[in-house]
Amino acid sequence: MRASPASGRPGGRIVRFAAVGGVNTLTFSACYLALHHLLPYFAAYTAAFVTSMTGSFFLHTYVTYRTRPTWTKFLLFPLTQVTNYGVQSAGLVALVGWCRLSTTVAPLVAALCALPFSYLLSRRILRPPTRAGRSTRTGSATPAGPPAQADPAPQPGPPTRTGPPPARSGKPA
């Protein structure tokens, strides 16, 4: 699969993030509805949540951020869900209690408000900033030592001249 020209830009990444979120929502709903007939509702909910979160991790890793999954990223990824839940819950309470928004519409608005927080945290976990001495995206390594000096330190002794010698007059010095 070849990347589209917009795929490397943040706007393309945000579109992919939203698309993966949509797939994640459909995955959760399908798992929950299928398991609800076999398990008690809370067990079905939990299994669907874990399944969709695992799928979301791999989709965001490969599709949204185009990076490799690691165990560290996998173990940190649930923090995005906790953040999403916290922001959505606070938003829901504020929208219904303070803004008097309908309880039917408020969850959707709260979910939209939580998207930037979820995106920024998932980007931080799945695409951590590169450190000095590590490879960059293009594969070239950054130097690990101290920066090179632009001008060497002056050496003790007589000054050295550069350029042509001074013009001599006919008089002795």
Side-chain angles (χ1 to χ4, degrees):
M1 182 170 108
R2 189 176 176 136
S4 67
S7 64
R9 294 190 298 224
R13 192 177 305 133
I14 291 170
V15 169
R16 291 191 308 267
F17 180 83
V20 167
V23 169
N24 186 44
T25 300
L26 293 174
T27 302
F28 170 81
S29 298
C31 288
Y32 176 73
L33 292 175
L35 293 173
H36 182 38
H37 298 291
L38 304 171
L39 302 170
Y41 77 94
F42 194 76
Y45 173 84
T46 302
F49 183 83
V50 170
T51 301
S52 68
M53 186 170 55
T54 303
S56 178
F57 168 75
F58 286 107
L59 285 173
H60 279 306
T61 301
Y62 289 119
V63 176
T64 304
Y65 300 106
R66 298 182 178 171
T67 185
R68 292 178 185 254
T70 65
W71 281 107
T72 302
K73 292 176 186 177
F74 183 75
L75 294 173
L76 289 174
F77 189 72
L79 291 175
T80 65
Q81 301 298 315
V82 170
T83 301
N84 191 24
Y85 179 79
V87 172
Q88 281 190 36
S89 298
L92 181 63
V93 169
L95 290 169
V96 171
W98 299 340
C99 301
R100 305 285 183 226
L101 198 62
S102 162
T103 55
T104 306
V105 177
L108 177 61
V109 174
L112 290 174
C113 292
L115 277 175
F117 296 96
S118 300
Y119 173 76
L120 292 172
L121 185 58
S122 69
R123 183 180 72 182
R124 176 79 172 137
I125 290 171
L126 299 177
R127 287 291 292 188
T130 57
R131 292 182 286 178
R134 299 204 49 190
S135 295
T136 60
R137 235 196 268 193
T138 59
S140 62
T142 56
Q149 292 180 343
D151 295 321
Q155 300 295 322
T160 57
R161 291 185 187 251
T162 58
R168 298 188 129 205
S169 65
K171 300 180 189 177

